[in-house]
Amino acid sequence: MSRRTPAQMAAETGLSIDTLRYYERIGLLDPVRREPSGHRSYGDAYVRRVNFLKRVRATGMSIREMQHYVNLFRDGDGTITERREMLEAHREAVRAQINELHETLTLLDTKISGYKRQEAGEGDDTLILRDSTPQQERKTS
Amino acid sequence: MSRRTPAQMAAETGLSIDTLRYYERIGLLDPVRREPSGHRSYGDAYVRRVNFLKRVRATGMSIREMQHYVNLFRDGDGTITERREMLEAHREAVRAQINELHETLTLLDTKISGYKRQEAGEGDDTLILRDSTPQQERKTS
DNA sequence: CCTTGACCTGGAGCGCACTCCAGGTTTTAT
DNA sequence: ATAAAACCTGGAGTGCGCTCCAGGTCAAGG
């Protein structure tokens, strides 16, 4: 498929029609080609651009940074170095996020198995007089 | 250090004083102990709690979900299963994020090396007669 | 035709997660 | 004793990234 209506574009990219229009308004997408009626018609390049934007957005790049990048893009080959540097900076940010996520993963694993142990050990506790099991400190969240 | 002023707490946890107060207001932190003056005094348990909150927050859990979790916590042992399920759900979300980030990482690598090739290939297009001596790196031991 | 639904524009509104402010009290330093 | 710094409260304000709305045009089906 080469040309798409707004609804088709939305379905294909996962962005809402409103968001597509919003991205165009703020310059993340170039002005979209129109039918004689004035209705938008999106070409393949727009799908690729949107997919790229979605990726960097989903990994924490702000709209403002994306605008900067897209502006560099529009300014042509003289900006290639700066673009590369931007992507390298973002790559570092992504790596940092991955590290943070991995650490959180092990934290979650620890807590989950802690809870599992508690669930296993407490099959019959209502009304049981439990002798001096040392009171766990609360708030060990 | 066992008790901290708001400023110390902020320094230690990396959250601003305002955010700490905000977290208390919305119930993410229990009412903090006060000095006779009315000034807050944070104990160690608060540091641990804040560190936990920071982690899950930084990995995409919303304030509302954190409130839910903390409420379960306050409601005691009967909520352990639900808490475990929440953490398991979050763990899945974290795994999904890691996957997304890895994919983005390879995308960025691809684009970056594309740019590098372009930068290398275009050493002589703007009227510059540059003789291409590759820059030798000097080792300073 | 006529209805229904997709689309158009400019601008307002929203939820989130803080962040700041005014106006006051308490603590600390000189 | 006094000035400055730290803290208090309730509430307003902010920036982000959309999302929705009113009021209108355009197009496809019966």
Side-chain angles (χ1 to χ4, degrees):
Chain A
M1 200 192 300
S2 176
R3 305 250 117 223
R4 318 156 174 69
T5 67
Q8 288 165 341
M9 183 67 176
E12 191 171 338
T13 62
L15 293 189
S16 75
I17 293 180
D18 271 321
T19 301
L20 288 166
R21 239 173 353 222
Y22 167 67
Y23 276 14
E24 185 180 346
R25 252 197 323 229
I26 66 173
L28 287 181
L29 300 177
D30 298 330
V32 177
R33 194 161 117 190
R34 304 301 183 104
E35 299 296 335
S37 63
H39 292 190
R40 285 176 179 78
S41 169
Y42 294 90
D44 296 337
Y46 283 80
V47 175
R48 290 194 296 273
R49 171 73 73 85
V50 166
N51 283 336
F52 173 72
L53 293 175
K54 276 183 66 186
R55 280 226 95 82
V56 293
R57 182 85 262 286
T59 55
M61 185 178 284
S62 73
I63 295 279
R64 222 185 275 289
E65 284 175 291
M66 298 195 304
Q67 285 174 320
H68 185 192
Y69 185 83
V70 166
N71 286 340
L72 292 175
F73 201 88
R74 258 192 285 273
D75 288 350
D77 290 355
T79 66
I80 284 175
T81 300
E82 195 174 349
R83 278 185 266 160
R84 175 181 51 75
E85 285 165 356
M86 278 196 75
L87 295 190
E88 283 172 348
H90 188 57
R91 183 171 59 177
E92 273 322 293
V94 168
R95 289 203 180 115
Q97 281 183 73
I98 290 176
N99 286 344
E100 167 111 62
L101 287 164
H102 271 124
E103 285 169 31
T104 302
L105 215 46
T106 67
L107 169 68
L108 290 172
D109 284 341
T110 304
K111 282 198 175 292
I112 287 166
S113 37
Y115 280 145
K116 276 185 179 158
R117 269 192 291 95
Q118 281 194 67
E119 286 175 282
E122 304 209 353
D124 55 0
D125 64 358
T126 28
L127 282 179
I128 290 181
L129 298 174
R130 172 200 321 254
D131 63 11
S132 61
T133 313
Q135 187 76 358
Q136 277 296 90
E137 201 195 349
R138 306 192 88 240
K139 269 182 200 125
T140 306
S141 23
Chain B
M1 202 193 298
S2 177
R3 304 251 118 222
R4 326 158 167 66
T5 66
Q8 288 165 341
M9 184 68 177
E12 191 171 338
T13 63
L15 293 190
S16 75
I17 293 179
D18 271 321
T19 300
L20 288 167
R21 237 170 357 219
Y22 167 67
Y23 276 15
E24 186 179 345
R25 248 191 333 223
I26 66 174
L28 287 180
L29 300 177
D30 297 331
V32 177
R33 193 161 117 188
R34 305 303 183 103
E35 300 295 337
S37 63
H39 291 191
R40 286 174 180 78
S41 169
Y42 294 90
D44 296 337
Y46 283 81
V47 175
R48 290 194 296 273
R49 173 90 133 236
V50 165
N51 283 336
F52 173 73
L53 292 174
K54 276 183 66 185
R55 281 227 96 82
V56 292
R57 181 85 262 286
T59 55
M61 185 179 284
S62 72
I63 294 280
R64 223 184 276 287
E65 285 175 291
M66 298 194 305
Q67 285 175 320
H68 186 192
Y69 184 83
V70 166
N71 287 339
L72 292 176
F73 201 87
R74 258 191 284 272
D75 288 351
D77 290 355
T79 66
I80 285 175
T81 300
E82 194 175 349
R83 277 185 265 161
R84 175 182 49 77
E85 286 165 358
M86 278 196 75
L87 295 191
E88 282 172 350
H90 188 56
R91 183 171 59 180
E92 273 323 292
V94 168
R95 288 206 181 112
Q97 283 182 71
I98 290 175
N99 285 344
E100 166 111 64
L101 287 164
H102 272 124
E103 285 168 30
T104 302
L105 216 46
T106 67
L107 170 67
L108 290 172
D109 285 341
T110 305
K111 282 200 175 290
I112 286 166
S113 38
Y115 280 144
K116 276 185 179 158
R117 268 192 292 93
Q118 281 196 67
E119 287 175 278
E122 305 209 352
D124 58 0
D125 64 315
T126 22
L127 281 177
I128 292 181
L129 299 172
R130 181 203 308 257
D131 71 1
S132 54
T133 314
Q135 188 81 352
Q136 188 78 353
E137 201 186 355
R138 170 84 50 117
K139 221 179 230 168
T140 27
S141 48

